């Protein structure tokens, strides 16, 4: 939730749809995110952009705890 800077409702929707990590949200086909009830193409693009930014930052820092931080926390 914090990684994507979204509220709890959006994080819950992502988790309910089966997304378990920021990387999944970042790199899945945009249509899968837009298909979530209440999301449109613009919302999906914004969420994916945030996920990619977070994921790229994590890959650059390459900390030992990066794996635990990539999970969606609800």
């Amino acid at each position: 939730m914090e990684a994507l800077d979204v509220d709890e409702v959006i994080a819950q929707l992502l988790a309910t749809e089966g997304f378990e990590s920021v990387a999944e949200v970042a790199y899945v086909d945009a249509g899968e995110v837009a298909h979530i009830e209440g999301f449109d193409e613009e919302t999906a693009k914004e969420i994916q952009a945030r996920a990619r930014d977070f994921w790229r930052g994590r890959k650059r820092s390459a900390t030992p705890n990066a794996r635990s931080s990539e999970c969606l926390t609800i």
Side-chain angles (χ1 to χ4, degrees):
M1 183 165 42
E2 292 176 20
L4 300 179
D5 191 26
V6 297
D7 65 23
E8 189 172 339
V9 172
I10 291 176
Q12 287 281 353
L13 286 170
L14 289 167
T16 299
E17 290 295 321
F19 292 100
E20 296 180 357
S21 72
V22 173
E24 281 183 89
V25 175
Y27 296 109
V28 72
D29 182 82
E32 288 191 45
V33 179
H35 180 72
I36 297 171
E37 187 174 338
F39 288 15
D40 58 16
E41 286 289 326
E42 202 58 38
T43 302
K45 286 179 185 178
E46 178 62 28
I47 290 171
Q48 284 195 299
R50 292 178 188 190
R52 286 185 188 115
D53 288 346
F54 176 82
W55 184 243
R56 288 179 189 136
R58 277 306 207 195
K59 285 175 67 174
R60 276 193 293 269
S61 66
T63 61
N65 295 326
R67 177 81 178 134
S68 64
S69 298
E70 78 183 48
C71 294
L72 293 175
T73 306
I74 298 175

